[in-house]
Amino acid sequence: YSNAETEEWLSRVRDRVKRTPGVVDAALSYYAPVGVRSASASVRVKSDFDSFQQALKTIQIEQIGLGYFETTGVKILHGRSFVEKDSGEYRIIVNETMAKQTWPSQDPIGQDIEIHDKHYQVIGVARDLNAGGIFSVVQPGVYQLMTTDDFAQPSPHGVTLIVRGAAGVDVL
């Protein structure tokens, strides 16, 4: 399969699962919302002087599909979630920890962040999710929208289909 064919196939699987009785929503992600993660990167954020300065050494990166926040129940606290028109754009959502550590006295919405030599614009702040368990510390993190190009170098863990079922209904 090509990247586009893989994306199309996974979208059809997600859409088919979403039509299953008792399923509330479904989304794709490189990782399950809670569990071991290995994606991280060094980042730079734009300062007030139009140049980039090192703000954080490493952050956690979640590559997610449309509907991830609605499916997982992770609340967007400020700004907005990803929408279809964001596909192919350099937009990013940060977690609370990232927002507080990076822009303690500024609004993170509209701020620029550089990851892997690409510049992203912050469009939302998501509630912290302690994905490592109760004994771990929440790390600064970002959510990136999966694109067709992401299928060229898929995660070694594969792609995860996350399903949210209606309360009290055995879906699967």
Side-chain angles (χ1 to χ4, degrees), residues 19-172:
R19 289 191 304 270
T20 303
V23 171
V24 174
D25 215 338
L28 297 170
S29 175
Y30 269 178
Y31 301 98
V34 178
V36 178
R37 290 183 166 65
S38 61
S40 62
S42 296
V43 299
R44 297 185 327 159
V45 295
K46 196 170 187 179
S47 73
D48 294 334
F49 303 106
D50 219 23
S51 63
F52 280 80
Q53 65 182 5
Q54 190 72 27
L56 300 170
K57 292 189 177 188
T58 59
I59 60 166
Q60 296 298 308
I61 298 176
E62 302 296 329
Q63 290 180 294
I64 62 172
L66 291 171
Y68 174 89
F69 296 104
E70 296 79 7
T71 302
T72 60
V74 175
K75 185 175 177 165
I76 298 294
L77 302 173
H78 184 48
R80 66 175 176 84
S81 184
F82 292 116
V83 294
E84 187 77 37
K85 71 177 183 170
D86 291 322
S87 185
E89 298 292 323
Y90 291 105
R91 308 265 194 266
I92 208 156
I93 295 172
V94 299
N95 69 4
E96 286 177 276
T97 298
M98 173 93 174
K100 288 175 186 172
Q101 288 182 9
T102 309
W103 303 283
S105 60
Q106 295 177 309
D107 185 351
I109 305 303
Q111 298 289 342
D112 292 323
I113 183 169
E114 181 183 308
I115 303 172
H116 300 301
D117 298 322
K118 293 180 183 167
H119 296 266
Y120 294 85
Q121 181 184 47
V122 176
I123 62 166
V125 177
R127 182 175 302 286
D128 280 341
L129 176 64
N130 196 348
I134 60 172
F135 297 110
S136 67
V137 176
V138 175
Q139 299 297 315
V142 300
Y143 296 90
Q144 291 178 314
L145 189 60
M146 293 170 66
T147 67
T148 303
D149 291 340
D150 292 322
F151 295 104
Q153 296 179 344
S155 162
H157 306 287
V159 175
T160 301
L161 177 65
I162 303 164
V163 179
R164 181 182 202 135
V169 176
D170 272 340
V171 176
L172 304 175

